[in-house]
Amino acid sequence: MDYNKVEDAVLKKAMEFFKDNAVKFFGIDTKIIAPAETEIKNIDIKTNYTDYLFYTEDGSYLHFEFQTTNKREDLKRFLYYDASLFYKEKRKVRTLVIYSAEIEDVETYIDAGTIKYNIQAFYMKSLNGDEKLEYLREKISKGGKLTGEDILTLTFIPLMNGRDSRSKRTLESIELADKIPESNEKLQCLTLLYALFDKFGDEISKEKFKEVVSMTEIGKMIRDEAIKEGMEQWIKEGIKEGIKEGKAEGKAEILIKQLIKKFKSIPHGYIEKIKKMPEETIDVIATDIFELENINDLEKYF
C-alpha cells in the first residue's frame, strides 16, 4: 500500500490530535495554535515535506521530525527546511527531532560559518516501552479512560526502548488499541500509528500492519472515517499494476482475491460470474468494495 496516497485524511486527524498533546508529552514550553503547511515548495531536494509543523502562540514555527536513522545529511536537510521556512514567512523555527531507541547521542549542531544551526533531540531510548505497554494494557483492561498523553505513549511505544523488535511492538500497539473501549480513543491511536508507521516500519511489518488493522474494529472505523477514497484508488492502481506486470489472471482474478481477503470466502458461482463480467463492472465493484457489508451484496452487480 502506498501510505503517502492513502493517508491524507488520516494525517489531518492525526495532526490535530498531535497538536493538542505533543508539547506536553515532549516537555515543550509553548502553546500550539494551529497546524502549518508542511510542504516546502521550490526546494531541489529529494524529500521536501516536514513531518509535523505548527504555529505557536508567540508567532513561531514548531517543527517535529521522527528519525530512525542518524545521518548528517538529515541534519542538513532540517537546516534547509528551517531556513526556507524563515525565508518564506520570517518566523523563527524551533525544531525537535524524535529519535527511535536505536539512536543516542546524535549531532545536533551545524556550524556553517555565518549560519549557526541546532536542533533539540528527544531520545526514545530514555523511555521503557515494555513498562509503558504493560501499564496501558492494565489500564485498558480495567476500562480506564486514556489521557492524551496515554494515547501518544501507546502510539510511540514502537519507537521506545524494549525487549522485542520494533515491528512486534507495533503490532502489539495496534492490538492493544483495538481493545480500547472508547471508540474515539481507538480512532486517535490508530490514526497516529498510521501517520507515523511509514517512518519506522519495514516492508514486512507494513504488510503485517495492513493485515492486523483490516481484522480489527478500528480498521473499519478508519475506512469509514477517512481513507475510503484513498483505499479505492489503491485498489484501482493495484488492478492496473497487475495488468501492467502481465499477470495472467487479469482484473477479475485480482478482484476475486480482494473479495476473498475481505469476506474470507466466495461462493463458486459468484467466482464464475465475476470471471465473465465486463471490465467496466469489475472496476465498479473494486470502487465499491468497502461499501459491501455481505458477500451477497454482489448480487446487484450480476
Side-chain angles (χ1 to χ4, degrees), residues 216-233:
T216 62
E217 177 186 344
I218 194 67
K220 183 177 185 304
M221 289 174 61
I222 288 180
R223 289 195 296 271
D224 292 345
E225 185 74 21
I227 66 170
K228 175 186 165 187
E229 182 178 346
M231 288 293 286
E232 289 169 355
Q233 183 63 30

Side-chain angles (χ1 to χ4, degrees), residues 7-9 31-32 38 46 60 79 85 140 148 205 224 267 283 293 298:
E7 293 169 355
D8 284 348
K31 182 179 179 181
I32 291 171
T38 58
K46 184 176 180 180
S60 301
L79 165 59
L85 289 167
I140 290 170
S205 59
D224 292 345
D283 287 341
E293 297 182 359
L298 285 173

Side-chain angles (χ1 to χ4, degrees), residues 207-223:
E207 186 65 29
K208 185 65 176 175
F209 180 88
K210 288 190 299 179
E211 294 174 4
V212 172
V213 170
S214 68
M215 292 186 292
T216 62
E217 177 186 344
I218 194 67
K220 183 177 185 304
M221 289 174 61
I222 288 180
R223 289 195 296 271

Side-chain angles (χ1 to χ4, degrees), residues 228-247:
K228 175 186 165 187
E229 182 178 346
M231 288 293 286
E232 289 169 355
Q233 183 63 30
W234 172 61
I235 290 172
K236 289 179 182 177
E237 290 178 359
I239 291 173
K240 291 177 182 177
E241 190 63 25
I243 301 299
K244 184 190 297 184
E245 292 176 2
K247 294 182 179 177

Side-chain angles (χ1 to χ4, degrees), residues 32-49:
I32 291 171
I33 58 172
E37 174 58 56
T38 58
E39 182 181 9
I40 301 173
K41 299 182 184 299
N42 301 321
I43 295 181
D44 186 18
I45 191 170
K46 184 176 180 180
T47 304
N48 64 338
Y49 279 88

Side-chain angles (χ1 to χ4, degrees), residues 122-136:
F122 186 98
Y123 300 105
M124 285 292 185
K125 186 178 180 67
S126 65
L127 303 179
N128 189 316
D130 296 329
E131 289 181 359
K132 292 185 181 298
L133 186 64
E134 188 57 37
Y135 162 77
L136 289 171

Side-chain angles (χ1 to χ4, degrees), residues 12 15 34-41 48-55 61-63 81 85 88-89 91:
K12 290 177 183 176
M15 182 176 284
E37 174 58 56
T38 58
E39 182 181 9
I40 301 173
K41 299 182 184 299
N48 64 338
Y49 279 88
T50 63
D51 284 345
Y52 284 97
L53 188 65
F54 301 99
Y55 298 116
Y61 279 121
L62 182 57
H63 171 198
Y81 289 167
L85 289 167
K88 178 183 175 183
E89 293 194 22
R91 294 176 185 268

Side-chain angles (χ1 to χ4, degrees), residues 44 56 62 70 82 85 91 94 122 147 176 186 188 198 216 221-222 232 248 254 256 258 277-278 282:
D44 186 18
T56 59
L62 182 57
N70 178 20
D82 292 351
L85 289 167
R91 294 176 185 268
R94 180 178 181 180
F122 186 98
T147 65
L176 184 56
K186 277 189 183 184
Q188 289 168 338
D198 196 46
T216 62
M221 289 174 61
I222 288 180
E232 289 169 355
I254 295 173
I256 290 167
Q258 294 293 341
M277 281 181 172
I282 291 175

